[in-house]
């Protein structure tokens, strides 16, 4: 973890949020973040699907004994507003964000942080890895282009 995230709890949440902030994901250019989600889902043994637009669906099986519970959908968008300060030299297409910690706050250095909706995506991913959480089947719906057109 980078220094900005060290010691933050719950650790799973911040691990995933750091991965998202490290991955370029401006609206209309979400290929890298979709690849990140695909790799995570496949590494965990979850089913990954995507549509022709690039929206992603991750199917997470129920924990043992909870198979009869109806599926729960968790939705978030993968893209972020790509804005920077006038004096900041930064390429949202190729660079991950530079996250800094200021007391209890996380901020991006001269750019937007992408917490809308990166933190929601990170929460959904973290929930799927939480060992003590019992749940029925989960469907993680991760859309693209929410910030500029709702593709």
């Amino acid at each position: 973890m980078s220094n900005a995230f060290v010691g933050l709890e719950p650790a799973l949440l911040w691990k995933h949020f750091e991965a998202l902030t490290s991955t370029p994901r401006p609206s209309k250019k979400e290929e890298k973040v979709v690849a990140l989600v695909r790799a995570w889902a496949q590494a965990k043994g979850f089913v990954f699907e995507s549509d022709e637009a690039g929206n992603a669906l991750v199917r997470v099986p129920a924990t043992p004994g909870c198979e009869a519970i109806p599926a729960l959908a968790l939705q978030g968008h993968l893209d972020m507003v790509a804005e920077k300060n006038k004096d900041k030299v930064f390429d949202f297409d190729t660079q991950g964000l530079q996250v800094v910690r200021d007391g209890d706050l996380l901020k991006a250095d001269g750019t937007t942080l992408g917490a809308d909706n990166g933190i929601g995506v990170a929460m959904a991913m973290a929930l799927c890895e939480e060992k003590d959480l019992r749940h029925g089947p989960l469907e993680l719906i991760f859309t693209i282009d929410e910030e500029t057109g709702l593709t």
Side-chain angles (χ1 to χ4, degrees):
M1 280 193 164
S2 75
N3 288 339
F5 295 93
V6 169
L8 294 179
E9 293 293 333
L12 280 173
L13 169 70
W14 298 110
K15 175 187 88 166
H16 288 295
F17 189 65
E18 181 179 25
L20 290 166
T21 61
S22 299
T23 304
R25 56 191 179 97
S27 297
K28 303 207 181 289
K29 297 180 181 177
E30 298 94 343
E31 300 83 13
K32 291 176 183 169
V33 72
V34 170
L36 172 83
V37 170
R38 178 185 297 111
W40 167 78
Q42 291 173 339
K44 295 296 176 189
F46 304 147
V47 174
F48 176 89
E49 301 173 32
S50 63
D51 64 15
E52 59 191 45
N55 298 300
L57 172 66
V58 178
R59 295 182 192 275
V60 179
T63 54
C66 295
E67 295 85 358
I69 297 173
L72 175 66
L74 303 173
Q75 190 271 331
H77 60 89
L78 294 171
D79 62 322
M80 65 171 282
V81 174
E83 292 291 330
K84 64 181 185 66
N85 295 343
K86 288 181 184 180
D87 61 341
K88 179 73 174 179
V89 176
F90 191 83
D91 184 353
F92 283 96
D93 294 348
T94 62
Q95 292 179 263
L97 302 176
Q98 298 165 336
V99 180
V100 294
R101 195 150 142 200
D102 181 8
D104 290 338
L105 300 176
L106 288 179
K107 303 190 238 181
D109 181 16
T111 66
T112 49
L113 180 58
D116 164 30
N117 190 227
I119 199 68
V121 171
M123 284 180 185
M125 294 169 77
L127 285 172
C128 296
E129 290 185 36
E130 182 56 54
K131 302 285 188 231
D132 296 329
L133 179 68
R134 293 176 39 86
H135 59 80
L138 301 174
E139 295 182 352
L140 311 184
I141 303 166
F142 297 140
T143 58
I144 61 162
D145 194 28
E146 188 274 344
E147 300 293 355
T148 61
L150 294 173
T151 301

